[in-house]
Amino acid sequence: MTDLNARAETLRALHSGEMLVLPNVWDAASAEVVAEAGFPAIATASAAVSAMLGYPDGEGAPWREMFAAAGRVAAAVSLPVTVDAEAGYGLAPREFVDRLLETGAVGCNLEDTDHRSGGLADADEHAQRLADIRAAATDAGVPIVVNARVDVFLGDRGVPEPDRLAEAVRRGRLYREAGADCVYPIGVRRRDDIAALVTELACPVNGNVGEELNLVALREVGVARVSYGPRFYRAALAGFKAAIEKLEG
């Protein structure tokens, strides 16, 4: 538990100062590659892990299999590990925290998509769940790092485009007040939007690299953390496919 505490505090500290870049992994081998390249922490991507296990993203994989995969990642490296835990798999807050800590991870992404309806969860209810998870982590004795994902910029979540920025700010503030360490407005594509979120939320913000948002741009607007989702998993499969196709004939 002392080691988990130290890793949690290390991961939290990495959200201040130099921008934290997290090339997301999907198994022990990819985690070792990222660690050997000198990155200070390891993050999984649920879409990549679930695909590797043979399931669709969006909580299509059983949580036990997802956490078992996370455990293999954490066992392979001596760095803080944060797990993309989707919407938390319907686990009660204390059970969620206990199962997360059992993997050896000390951080998690928690998204505000309701996978039963396909839309967004009620913001106040989701904030309360985050607060309950924060309280459960405190009770468990490990200050896990919670990255609260805000899904309003995803086009199929029912928020009209003109309203997305304001709704992301509203939700982000609620989640921060509930105890989230970082807010992750996934799907932001415009520099002005991510800059406004950094200013309005006044807390660590997780960004994604895109056409208008390279690492330089994200650093310039004050993003604290950058992640890549399943990008590198898909690139690895594409490379594998290209190599296999060269064997034909």
Side-chain angles (χ1 to χ4, degrees), residues 107-118:
C108 62
N109 281 11
L110 287 168
E111 62 200 42
D112 61 359
T113 289
D114 180 347
H115 290 288
R116 294 166 297 179
S117 68

Side-chain angles (χ1 to χ4, degrees), residues 25-36 42 44 52 69-77:
V25 308
W26 56 94
D27 61 7
S30 57
E32 289 174 344
V33 169
V34 172
E36 289 168 3
I42 302 294
T44 68
M52 178 268 295
R72 291 190 288 273
V73 166
V77 297

Side-chain angles (χ1 to χ4, degrees), residues 46-47 49-67 86 89:
S46 67
V49 175
S50 58
M52 178 268 295
L53 293 172
Y55 298 97
D57 192 22
E59 299 197 343
W63 68 265
R64 288 181 176 83
E65 292 195 40
M66 295 294 283
F67 277 23
E86 304 183 84
Y89 307 108

Side-chain angles (χ1 to χ4, degrees), residues 104-156:
V106 293
C108 62
N109 281 11
L110 287 168
E111 62 200 42
D112 61 359
T113 289
D114 180 347
H115 290 288
R116 294 166 297 179
S117 68
L120 292 172
D122 178 85
D124 291 309
E125 291 178 2
H126 188 68
Q128 184 59 58
R129 177 166 172 77
L130 292 174
D132 292 342
I133 287 172
R134 169 57 62 210
T138 298
D139 189 53
V142 179
I144 64 171
V145 177
V146 177
N147 189 31
R149 207 178 87 176
V150 178
D151 290 358
V152 302
F153 286 93
L154 299 179
D156 58 352

